[in-house]
Amino acid sequence: SNDIPPVYAAGKPLVTPVTPNKTPITKVLSYQSVTDPNNGGVVTPQSPSDLFLVNRYVYIVGDTNDQTKVGDKVSIKWYFSDQDVTADIQKSVPPGKPACCVVSFTGGGKPQQFKFALSAPVAAPGKAEIYYNNILADTVLFLVVDQFPTPTPVPTKTPLPDTPVPATPAATKHP
């Protein structure tokens, strides 16, 4: 069946900051796509969502404030159906490719951006835990589906054509 659990129905990113949030992370969202200048520049995330198709990328993009330090690390743990699959993903990354799950900052004292991407292999509920120097900072929930649901049409109020209102029979007095 293609029913979307109500928690995902709005299609908006579901992010739970872990409180108290004592990390420099200021924002984390899940996106369906990003434009990447491929020169180590800032990516532009597009289509924030909590719904993703199988074998398409789930992008987790976040921002920090200026409290970052050189060597600080942001890492991610990926879960599908409550199973931590991070180690399996790390094993599948080809040599020479960027690591899937850790970003280290080479500069500090300025706002920074981090990005993680995973091609979701199965239709299942997913979760991404975001850590800053091994401190849990945010949890992002998402749902991977075989196909996007067809939106249920919402009935719009249309004025009814002029229909005669049936007359209420008046009581008549008979002599």
Side-chain angles (χ1 to χ4, degrees):
S1 111
N2 208 25
D3 293 337
I4 301 297
V7 68
Y8 302 103
K12 302 208 176 357
L14 295 170
V15 180
T16 306
V18 176
T19 52
N21 187 343
K22 295 180 178 3
T23 73
I25 296 174
T26 58
K27 178 182 172 187
V28 175
L29 290 176
S30 49
Y31 298 92
Q32 291 185 2
S33 64
V34 296
T35 54
D36 192 340
N38 280 337
N39 59 5
V42 174
V43 302
T44 305
Q46 297 172 321
S47 306
S49 181
D50 64 356
L51 292 174
F52 299 88
L53 290 173
V54 170
N55 295 322
R56 298 284 174 84
Y57 278 95
V58 175
Y59 292 95
I60 307 290
V61 180
D63 299 308
T64 70
N65 61 23
D66 61 4
Q67 300 300 302
T68 58
K69 295 178 184 60
V70 174
D72 280 2
K73 288 182 174 32
V74 177
S75 57
I76 190 168
K77 284 188 180 174
W78 295 97
Y79 295 82
F80 285 100
S81 298
D82 291 325
Q83 298 293 311
D84 184 345
V85 296
T86 311
D88 295 334
I89 294 164
Q90 287 170 314
K91 284 184 221 159
S92 70
V93 175
K97 289 283 183 197
C100 69
C101 308
V102 179
V103 172
S104 294
F105 295 126
T106 54
K110 63 179 197 242
Q112 307 212 37
Q113 182 189 61
F114 56 89
K115 174 189 92 176
F116 298 104
L118 175 66
S119 176
V122 292
K127 177 172 76 171
E129 291 180 346
I130 311 300
Y131 293 83
Y132 195 93
N133 290 339
N134 299 317
I135 297 169
L136 181 60
D138 291 279
T139 301
V140 180
L141 299 178
F142 55 92
L143 183 66
V144 180
V145 294
D146 290 318
Q147 65 184 42
F148 287 131
T150 308
T152 306
V154 178
T156 53
K157 287 217 178 227
T158 51
L160 293 171
D162 288 338
T163 40
V165 177
T168 308
T172 51
K173 288 187 178 168
H174 293 286

